[in-house]
Amino acid sequence: MMEKIFIHRILTLFPNAIARKLLLMLIFILIFWVIYLASKDHTKLLFSLENHITLNQGNIFKKSSHSEAPLCPAVSPKETELRIKDIMEKLDQQIPPRPFTHVNTTTSATHSTATILNPQDMYCRGDQLDILLEVRDHLGRRKQYGGDFLRARMSSPALMAGASGKVTDFNNGTYLVSFTLFWDGQVSLSLLLIHPSEGVSALWRARNQGCDKIIFIGLFANRTSNVFTECGLTLNTNAELCQYMDDRDHEAFYCVRPQHMPCEALTHMTTRTRNISYLSKEEWSLFHRSNMGVEMMKNFTPIEVIPCNKSENIKKNCQIGMKTPFPSGYTLKKMWITAFCKQIKFNETKNINGCLERKLIYLMGDSTLRQWIYYLQKAIKTLKYFDHHGAGIFKTHVLLDVERHILIQWKKHGHPFVTKKLFSVKDENYIPREIDRVAGDKNTAIVITLGQHFRPFPINIFIRRAINIQKAIERLFLRSPETKVILKTENTREIHQNAEMFSDFHGYIQNLIIRDIFVDLNVGIIDAWDMTIAYCTNNAHPPDYVIQNQIGMFLNYIC
């Protein structure tokens, strides 16, 4: 209405008909011109927004500069954060604080007593042998709580045989140690006190106090200029920072930004150990060589196991989705024999090639999976190494058999990755993102291992990564249910290395977390933890005969 009155008043100013027509034409031209310009700017704005969003989605590690990083990696979505909190609370209950003032009040292997329940002169193969352990301190006093980190093993060196024992903690100073007698002959029993409960409590507290035990050093390259700066999962500094952020999974990594260089100039990384400890002097005394891995059953004589003509249960062939008990098997003449499924032996190259034909195999994880590449290249002569270029042993490794259409690829997992060797970060990716890139089908298999490089860092970082991997596997199964996924648990390592950062206790907790998070997924489990206890390797990189048996288990899952 107002517009009509406005136009009527303007027209009364121009009584001439021709002038009126010219004026109306000018008004309409002006209106169309304004509409045109507005729509053009609007389209530009929409295009700009859409383009910005697309670029952000495609670039996983957003690089931005700011002056300060949070003390802990970025907060994840509410669901993930609640899951992390729930797991942390359960672990805190399982590992309560055990403060102490002197070694004499801690668990003593010498003063503790182990008693065989229902002892016999001879045992039948397949029987279970139980031992009751009562722990005492160095003054001979009975302890009223549990939490000691123990390792049980049975073995027959002449048969090159070994198996883990199962330890049940009653949380009152007593433990039940159970052995399944898998083979006949003379069998020796062992129970090691790796850490007393007071040491376990100290390790747990120290682990979760900070991310700064490891220094990350990033190399920035810009034409002829190379600059090293400090990097990390967190950085407590006022310097300008580069932030490398995975927005979806809320994984963050930071570097101090060099002057006159963009954040994209980061090319390589290496790490060093910082001279920092969150253990007291008294606590460190628990981790002297003489106090770790102490035998608690020194005076036990070997037991005699006979066949007894007992019939064995008929087992199904090994397949994805089977629940693995503990112990999951045993070694005999250096061969791994599973306790829960029937294995096919892949001893000949012909059999292995037949299994691998037309397979795409993606190995994602640390150097214990890279060992598979090295072993397969030596064992299967038709698999040829493809030079992926790049420098160092941590570059992507690829084996190819063009005739049989076989591809096997190893790629290391994303931060944290702890090594003194310089490695490239230009193709850096977290495992969930790598899984997202796999189309998947019945001839595709993914093997994942995670753990060793996470031990020096707070446990919530490991939990977050494991949850993100679980979600990625769920997305994979939605688009390709036939794709086979196998989890290789982390293995044991040297007992006497820096316990605060690399103790097997940290690996044991991480294995519990992995099993809890992945319990409902249709995946296969290769229990490298159980295998390396049975083989008694105590090496971060197990020998070839262990790797051979891990691969044998993998072939059973995919063929």
Side-chain angles (χ1 to χ4, degrees), residues 403-453:
E403 182 182 338
R404 295 174 180 82
H405 305 283
I406 302 169
L407 180 144
I408 305 174
Q409 174 185 286
W410 172 80
K411 195 170 184 180
K412 70 176 187 62
H413 63 69
H415 305 302
F417 201 84
V418 180
T419 176
K420 290 182 179 180
K421 294 182 171 65
L422 201 66
F423 62 89
S424 172
V425 296
K426 292 315 292 181
D427 61 346
E428 188 81 6
N429 231 340
Y430 296 117
I431 287 178
R433 293 290 183 175
E434 289 293 332
I435 295 171
D436 287 342
R437 295 173 63 181
V438 176
D441 60 24
K442 65 179 181 180
N443 288 317
T444 300
I446 298 174
V447 187
I448 300 164
T449 194
L450 201 68
Q452 297 282 353
H453 293 262

Side-chain angles (χ1 to χ4, degrees), residues 107-115 131-136 148-151 173 175 177 189-196 293-300:
T107 306
S108 164
T110 304
H111 290 84
S112 300
T113 57
T115 307
I131 293 172
L132 182 67
L133 174 70
E134 296 179 319
V135 296
R136 299 177 183 272
D148 301 294
F149 184 44
L150 308 172
R151 179 172 298 167
Y175 300 82
V177 184
L189 306 177
S190 168
L191 182 62
L192 300 181
L193 174 62
I194 307 296
H195 304 307
V294 183
E295 182 60 65
M296 304 186 83
M297 296 174 62
K298 281 183 180 177
N299 300 322
F300 273 65

Side-chain angles (χ1 to χ4, degrees), residues 460-502:
N460 65 302
I461 294 169
F462 179 82
I463 297 170
R464 188 187 312 279
R465 187 69 51 82
I467 290 172
N468 287 335
I469 291 172
Q470 177 218 2
K471 290 179 177 178
I473 294 172
E474 288 174 344
R475 290 192 295 270
L476 170 66
F477 286 161
L478 284 175
R479 66 181 179 270
S480 177
E482 293 179 308
T483 302
K484 296 176 176 64
V485 177
I486 293 94
L487 300 177
K488 182 183 81 67
T489 67
E490 64 183 289
N491 49 259
T492 59
R493 62 182 299 160
E494 301 81 0
I495 289 178
H496 301 113
Q497 278 199 343
N498 184 325
E500 182 175 1
M501 289 197 288
F502 296 110

Side-chain angles (χ1 to χ4, degrees), residues 285-308:
S285 67
L286 299 175
F287 305 108
H288 293 161
R289 287 181 68 96
S290 59
N291 293 330
M292 291 196 296
V294 183
E295 182 60 65
M296 304 186 83
M297 296 174 62
K298 281 183 180 177
N299 300 322
F300 273 65
T301 57
I303 62 169
E304 194 71 32
V305 181
I306 57 176
C308 293

Side-chain angles (χ1 to χ4, degrees), residues 97-204:
R98 300 291 185 199
F100 76 104
T101 54
H102 198 278
V103 172
N104 284 344
T105 64
T106 66
T107 306
S108 164
T110 304
H111 290 84
S112 300
T113 57
T115 307
I116 294 180
L117 301 179
N118 303 316
Q120 302 173 35
D121 293 333
M122 288 188 177
Y123 297 85
C124 290
R125 184 176 64 209
D127 283 355
Q128 180 171 299
L129 183 146
D130 291 324
I131 293 172
L132 182 67
L133 174 70
E134 296 179 319
V135 296
R136 299 177 183 272
D137 65 19
H138 290 264
L139 300 176
R141 296 174 301 195
R142 172 78 183 276
K143 295 191 73 176
Q144 302 301 315
Y145 53 84
D148 301 294
F149 184 44
L150 308 172
R151 179 172 298 167
R153 180 175 181 265
M154 54 184 275
S155 63
S156 296
L159 299 173
M160 292 183 287
S164 302
K166 183 178 180 180
V167 179
T168 303
D169 186 352
F170 295 118
N171 297 310
N172 60 2
T174 62
Y175 300 82
L176 182 67
V177 184
S178 303
F179 294 98
T180 302
L181 305 177
F182 288 114
W183 63 87
D184 47 89
Q186 275 203 340
V187 177
S188 298
L189 306 177
S190 168
L191 182 62
L192 300 181
L193 174 62
I194 307 296
H195 304 307
S197 54
E198 294 78 9
V200 165
S201 174
L203 287 176
W204 181 243

